[in-house]
Amino acid sequence: MWTVYHRAAEAARPDAVLADPRAVRLVAEADFPFRERLGPARPGAAQVLALRALAFDGVVRAFLARHPEGTVIALGEGLETQFWRVDNGRVHWVTVDLSDPLELRRRLLPHGARQRLVACDAREHRWMAGIDASRGVLVTAQGLLMYLQPAQAHGLIGACAAAFPGGTMVFDTVSRRYSARSRDGVRGPGGHRLPPMPWGMDAAQRRLLPAAHPSVTEVTDVPLPYGRGLLGLLAPHTAAVPLLRKNRPLITRLRFAEAPADPPGGP
């Protein structure tokens, strides 16, 4: 609720960095006292969340340019409205989430024939059954992996690499410093107590990701796009700012190796 509230607040601005009319409509029509429960939306946090969503949108659009009928699997999607921002009329979309948030999503957002909702804990891996990977697969995990234990996060990455040869995965993480703060019970934007985020990763730890599975063949950074004002100007360059370099969230894209071809005369 906090995330969609802030994303909608940014999208409603005349100078918004993200066009998200579906989120604006959801917040306006949902029977939930957003402002009373969450306080006024904070412009800085709203822009950062919108820039994060825009960076993920760019990865999805690049994937769909190569695989117009591919499958996007959104893990822990909550009330994210990305489908309506990037839909090319041909993509197949699979939302994987726990039963309660999935039921809320089902009530608040319309879903069509190319969208499938799967009630499952992403760590259980049974959601992978029945996925058609023949036209390409992209797995997204926006605002999810930081809430897992490090071994669970690496295990999920490895399971995706094994299940979807030739596929792509994109996810975000908080810094190790921010992870430690969250575990100490500090308060975040708006005065809300941060939920514990056990997995934090700095840029240097990216070199450990290929150890999750031999099929992880490419690890790249996805920078935030430019935004509005000084915050938006700095967003793509946080790696170069000494005070932000080790305390910045990361968006990481992984590519998985293709499955080896069967040898001639093989089964």
Side-chain angles (χ1 to χ4, degrees):
M1 288 298 195
W2 190 88
T3 304
V4 72
Y5 174 48
H6 280 78
R7 200 171 65 249
E10 172 64 31
R13 293 176 59 110
D15 57 352
V17 301
L18 178 73
D20 199 345
R22 179 66 65 180
V24 174
R25 190 184 315 169
L26 186 156
V27 169
E29 297 177 352
D31 183 20
F32 182 81
F34 285 94
R35 187 179 179 89
E36 291 78 0
R37 289 281 186 89
L38 305 176
R42 300 171 65 88
Q47 184 179 182
V48 169
L49 286 171
L51 291 176
R52 179 183 73 168
L54 198 58
F56 272 79
D57 288 358
V59 174
V60 176
R61 289 191 176 103
F63 167 76
L64 294 178
R66 299 189 307 271
H67 307 281
E69 297 182 353
T71 298
V72 175
I73 307 167
L75 303 180
E77 195 170 24
L79 293 177
E80 172 60 64
T81 47
Q82 185 177 57
F83 172 83
W84 293 273
R85 297 196 302 267
V86 302
D87 182 23
N88 63 354
R90 300 164 68 184
V91 62
H92 296 269
W93 202 273
V94 181
T95 297
V96 178
D97 214 328
L98 301 174
S99 297
D100 287 348
L102 202 66
E103 180 55 34
L104 182 63
R105 180 179 180 86
R106 196 190 309 273
R107 287 195 288 110
L108 295 180
L109 292 168
H111 290 82
R114 289 180 289 109
Q115 294 167 272
R116 182 157 66 96
L117 306 180
V118 179
C120 182
D121 187 320
R123 295 168 294 184
E124 294 180 3
H125 304 170
R126 56 185 172 84
W127 57 265
M128 298 177 181
I131 298 292
D132 179 7
S134 63
R135 293 185 290 267
V137 168
L138 168 65
V139 180
T140 73
Q142 186 178 174
L144 172 66
L145 296 193
M146 64 280 292
Y147 297 108
L148 307 185
Q149 295 294 329
Q152 294 173 332
H154 280 250
L156 179 56
I157 291 169
C160 289
F164 307 117
T168 303
M169 183 174 187
V170 59
F171 58 90
D172 62 322
T173 50
V174 297
S175 68
R176 290 194 296 173
R177 185 178 300 173
Y178 198 83
S179 169
R181 289 181 62 213
S182 75
R183 285 179 275 123
D184 288 340
V186 301
R187 296 188 181 276
H192 299 285
R193 188 173 299 279
L194 294 173
M197 302 179 192
W199 189 39
M201 184 178 75
D202 296 335
Q205 277 74 55
R206 280 196 174 120
R207 70 181 186 275
L208 303 176
L209 293 175
H213 194 275
S215 292
V216 178
T217 57
E218 184 180 326
V219 182
T220 56
D221 177 63
V222 180
L224 292 176
Y226 283 102
R228 180 183 60 252
L230 179 61
L231 174 63
L233 182 65
L234 289 175
H237 305 293
T238 52
V241 180
L243 291 177
L244 300 178
R245 187 177 299 137
K246 290 188 176 182
N247 197 32
R248 64 189 178 104
L250 301 175
I251 303 177
T252 302
R253 175 171 47 206
L254 307 178
R255 297 195 191 277
F256 306 142
E258 299 279 355
D262 291 333

